[in-house]
Amino acid sequence: MNLDMLNEQQREAVLTTEGPLLILAGAGSGKTRVLTYRTAYLIDECGVNPYNIMAITFTNKAAGEMRERIDDMVGYGSESIWVSTFHSTCVRILRRYIDRLGYDTNFTIYDADDQKALMKDICKRLEIDTKMYKEKMFLNVISSAKDEMIDPIEFENRFTGDFVKRKQALVYKEYQNALKQNNALDFDDLLVKTVELFKLDKEVLDYYQERFRYIMVDEYQDTNTVQFELIRLLAMKYKNLCVVGDDDQSIYKFRGANIYNILNFEKHFEDAKVIKLEQNYRSTQNILDAANSVISNNVGRKDKRLWTDNGAGDRITFEQLESGFEEADYVARSIARLVRKGEARYKDCAVLYRTNAQSRLFEEKFIAANIPYKIVGGVNFYARKEIKDILAYLKTIDNGHDDLAVKRIINVPKRGIGATSINKVTDYALEKGIDFYTALRYVDEVSGMARSAGKIKPFVMFIQSLRARAEMDSVSQLIQAIIDETGYVDELKAEGTDEAEQRIENIDELINKAVDYEQGEENPTLSGFLEEVALVADIDGLDENSDYVVLMTLHSAKGLEFPNVYLAGMEDGLFPSYMSITSDDATSEIEEERRLAYVGITRAKEHLTITSARMRMERAAALEKPCIFAIGNAPTALFSLEALMETGKLHPALIIGVPVGFVNVVESKERIIEAAAAPYIVSRGRKGGSNVAAAICNAMLYQIRR
C-alpha cells in the first residue's frame, strides 16, 4: 500500500494499528485522510475483516464523507465497515435489543419540539407555574443529568435537601415515565439506554465487542461522559481504540462535552500512544499565526502549534464599525465587491457569529443587496408545522403508544373533537394504565362521550386502515394517502396565500425525501424513515453545489472551511460573551471562548475579516438600571430584545416597538406582543419609523414634566 501521500506523522498514525492511540489532529491537518488510509491499511496489509472495523463520528455529513472516502479506497468489502454517528449507532443497536429493557423495538425518537410539548404536559399535570420554572430549564437539567448517566432515582437521592432540585427530580421522574409509556426515547436516551443495555446484558455487550475489534472515533474532544462510557465498554476487550481529536476545538461544554476525555486519554487507557498532526493544509500562515496566538493563552490544553507550506497569505482585516447595522452593511458590501470583481463566488463566503440573534441584521442587508444566503440553525425543515403534522401521522401508524403524536393529529384537519373530550379520554387512559390511542379505541367505555364518540371512531378507523396499508405500501405512498384522505393539501390550497403555497411545496419536498430514502435503502421501512428524519442535523442540509453565502454560529461552523470568512461581533460582552466574563468560573469559561475563536479563525482558507461594533443591543443587558427601548428603525432590534429577555439577560422597563425595514417587520412586533415579558407600546402592521418612536417618547416626557 502506497503511503507517499502522507507526511511523517500521518504515516505513523496509519501504521500504529494495535492498542490505544490518540491522534491530536490540529485544524485542517488531514485527519479524515489519516482515518481513511488507516482503515484501508488494516484491511489490505493487516488482514482485518472489514466487518470488525467501526468508525464513529458526530454528524451525518462527516459520516457520509468518511463512508465515501473509505468506499473509494477500500473497494470490495467496504460496505461491511460500520461507519456511523454516535446516535445512529445506538439506534441500530437498540432497534435490535431494546426489548430487553422493556421497550418495543419500534420506539419513537423525540426531537426538541416533541420534548417541549411533553414537558408542557407534565408541568400542567403537576401544576407547576411555568413563569417561575421554565420548561426549557427542566429539559436542560434532565439532559445534563443523562450526559452524566444520573437516573431519576440517583438525582433525587443526591439533592434531598434542596427544594428546587426536589422539584426537578419529580419532573425528571415523570418525564421518563411518560417517555416509557409513549414508547419513546429522546436523543440523550439513545446513548444512555445503549450503555444501560451493555451493562445489564453481557451477551449483547460481548457480541458487539467481538464485532468491533478495531474502533476509530472522530472528534473525540466533543464526547461527553455517556459517550466515553459507550466507547470504553466496546473497546474493553481488544483495546484497539484509535481516537482523533483536537482539545483546542472542544467547544461544546454547554451541551455536556467533557474536554478531560481527551486531556486524560493516557490515564484512561494504559500504554496509549500519542501522535500530533500539526501541519495544516487549509489556511495561510497569517491565519494560523492568529489562531496559535489566541489559543496559546489557554492553560488546559496539550501543547501544539499549527504550521503550513501554503505561504503567509493576505493579512487579516479588522474593521470596527459604529453599530451592528453598519457592521452588517460593511460585510454585505465587501461580499458584493468580491463577487462583482470575480474574486469569489457567494458560496466562497461565510459569516460566523456568536449568537443566532446576530443573523437578523445580515439577513436584512443581504436582501437589500440581493445577495443569496442560507442560514444554518434557522427553522429545521422537519420542525415546520405541516411537516410535523404529516410525521405525527406516520409516527402514530408506526407506534400507537406515542400519545404526543396522536394528540397532535386527532384534530388535524378539524374533526370537531374538543379539549373536554380529549381530557376525558386522557383521564380514562391514566385510570386504565393504557396509552391514549388504545383509549380512543375503547371510547364507548369512556363516560360522558356519547356525542364525541361518533367523531373519534372515524379517526380510529382511518389510522387502523393506514396501519394495514403500511404492511404493503411504501412511505411515500403512505404520505400521499394521508394527504388525499385528510384533505390536508386541499385545505391549504383553499387558503390561497403565499404561506400556504410554501407549505404545500414543503409537503412535496417531504414526499421527495421519502422517495430518496426508499431508493437509497436496501430494505426501506417506515421506522427506518422516521429514524433518518429524527437524526438529521441543520448542517446536513448544506448544499455545497449551491451558490449562496452561509450564515451560521461559530458552533455550527466546526468541521467546515471557506475561502473567505467574516468573523462578526468580536467585542467584549458578545464574544467573549458577557456570561463568560462574569461567570463564577470565568477562567474556564474564557478558555472555552478562546477555543471557539480558534475554531472560527481556522475556518478561513485565504481571507479572514474580523468585525466589531461600538454600540450594540447586547451592551444594554449589562446596564444595572431600568431602561426604555425605543425601536424605530430595524425589526432586528426587536428580535434581539426578545432573545435577551428570553435568556433572562434583559428586563426592559418599557418597549416602544415601531420598526420599519425590508423583512420581518410584522413578525418582530408580534413576537414582542406574544412574549409579553415587559410593558410595550407596539404598532400593528408595517407602519412605523423613528419619527413615530420619537413622538411616543416626547409624549411620555411631556406627561412627566406637565
Side-chain angles (χ1 to χ4, degrees), residues 374-388:
K374 181 180 176 71
I375 294 180
V376 175
V379 179
N380 186 301
F381 175 79
Y382 296 107
R384 300 177 191 275
K385 181 186 180 302
E386 61 278 9
I387 303 302
K388 287 194 77 72

Side-chain angles (χ1 to χ4, degrees), residues 444-504:
D444 286 333
E445 297 180 14
V446 182
S447 60
M449 293 288 289
R451 291 180 65 186
S452 297
K455 299 170 182 176
I456 289 172
K457 285 178 180 176
F459 171 73
V460 172
M461 288 173 65
F462 176 49
I463 297 298
Q464 292 299 105
S465 70
L466 289 172
R467 284 186 170 178
R469 290 179 63 167
E471 300 291 326
M472 301 165 291
D473 287 5
S474 66
V475 178
S476 55
Q477 287 171 327
L478 277 176
I479 295 173
Q480 196 61 58
I482 293 164
I483 292 166
D484 292 343
E485 296 183 38
T486 62
Y488 195 103
V489 169
D490 290 338
E491 281 197 4
L492 289 173
K493 284 178 180 175
E495 287 182 25
T497 63
D498 291 343
E499 185 186 355
E501 187 60 38
Q502 182 60 59
R503 288 184 171 179
I504 294 169

Side-chain angles (χ1 to χ4, degrees), residues 587-598:
T587 302
S588 170
E589 294 296 326
I590 292 294
E591 291 212 347
E592 180 94 354
E593 294 289 289
R594 283 199 196 100
R595 291 194 290 270
L596 196 54
Y598 174 87

